[in-house]
Amino acid sequence: GAIARLPLRCEALLGPAAGAAPVRAADDVLAADLNTSAVFAVNRAWAPTPGAPEPQFFTSGQWSVSGAQVRLRGELRDYPGKRLILQKDYAGSVGEWRRLLHRFSDDCVQHITGERGVADSRIAFVVREGRDKELWVMDADGFGARALTADRSIAQSPAWSPEGSLLLFTS
């Protein structure tokens, strides 16, 4: 049978917008990552689901921005005791705000299951452009799609190296 998802309440993140990102967009990215993990049944504090079960866990966090750098302090706690399970700081450029949320979500999944989450994964794929096929990558949630090649050739069979730092393909 299916494994029951753990009820989690995702609190709105505090602090200034992560650069150009509206704060609510960041909240929605985190909630979607946690829900897509298949570990948690997420209830968004800013748009609560009527009749949702009492949470077993809740996430919260705070943004800070300094120049072109953004920092997220993320917390995962149990409920109702509010015992701290995870507190971690994530830092990067303002343009990487989504990646910080993906990493926090993956750490939450790892602390509860012992297995790393997949929100910070990237997907490699091939896009046909006329007779050509170019190599593209995107985040696991479908955002940030961009072309890696513009060879006007035929790229195919992309595969990540075991540690994920290299992308191999045939052209």
Side-chain angles (χ1 to χ4, degrees), residues 9 25-26 28-29 39 42 48 60 63 65 83 86 92 107-108 114 117 121 123 136 148 153 156 168:
R9 180 177 170 94
D28 286 335
V29 167
V39 173
V42 175
S60 61
W63 289 109
V65 179
R83 183 180 56 88
L86 166 68
D107 285 343
C108 289
S121 301
I123 298 169
W136 285 60
L148 286 183
S153 181
Q156 56 190 20
L168 310 172

Side-chain angles (χ1 to χ4, degrees), residues 20-145:
V23 173
R24 186 62 64 236
D27 294 341
D28 286 335
V29 167
L30 178 59
D33 280 354
L34 291 165
N35 201 54
T36 304
S37 75
V39 173
F40 301 109
V42 175
N43 193 6
R44 294 164 163 83
W46 57 95
T49 304
E54 278 286 294
Q56 289 182 25
F57 305 97
F58 71 95
T59 59
S60 61
Q62 184 157 357
W63 289 109
S64 58
V65 179
S66 175
Q69 294 295 304
V70 64
R71 169 161 287 163
L72 169 67
R73 167 162 286 176
E75 293 185 353
L76 174 67
R77 293 179 181 269
D78 70 2
Y79 187 88
K82 299 185 180 180
R83 183 180 56 88
L84 187 65
I85 297 169
L86 166 68
Q87 181 183 62
K88 191 167 178 182
D89 289 331
Y90 304 86
S93 69
V94 167
E96 295 178 301
W97 66 269
R98 295 179 67 90
R99 184 126 197 254
L100 305 185
L101 294 163
H102 296 331
R103 289 169 42 206
F104 175 45
S105 171
D106 286 350
D107 285 343
C108 289
V109 169
Q110 185 163 19
H111 270 76
I112 299 305
T113 68
E115 298 281 330
R116 186 95 186 129
V118 298
D120 196 31
S121 301
R122 292 175 302 156
I123 298 169
F125 59 103
V126 173
V127 172
R128 179 183 296 263
E129 297 175 358
R131 297 174 78 171
D132 304 329
K133 291 183 179 178
E134 300 296 347
L135 188 62
W136 285 60
V137 294
M138 68 180 175
D139 292 348
D141 63 3
F143 283 86

Side-chain angles (χ1 to χ4, degrees), residues 153-171:
S153 181
I154 298 176
Q156 56 190 20
S157 305
W160 293 102
S161 62
E163 78 289 345
S165 66
L166 301 173
L167 183 56
L168 310 172
F169 65 99
T170 304
S171 178

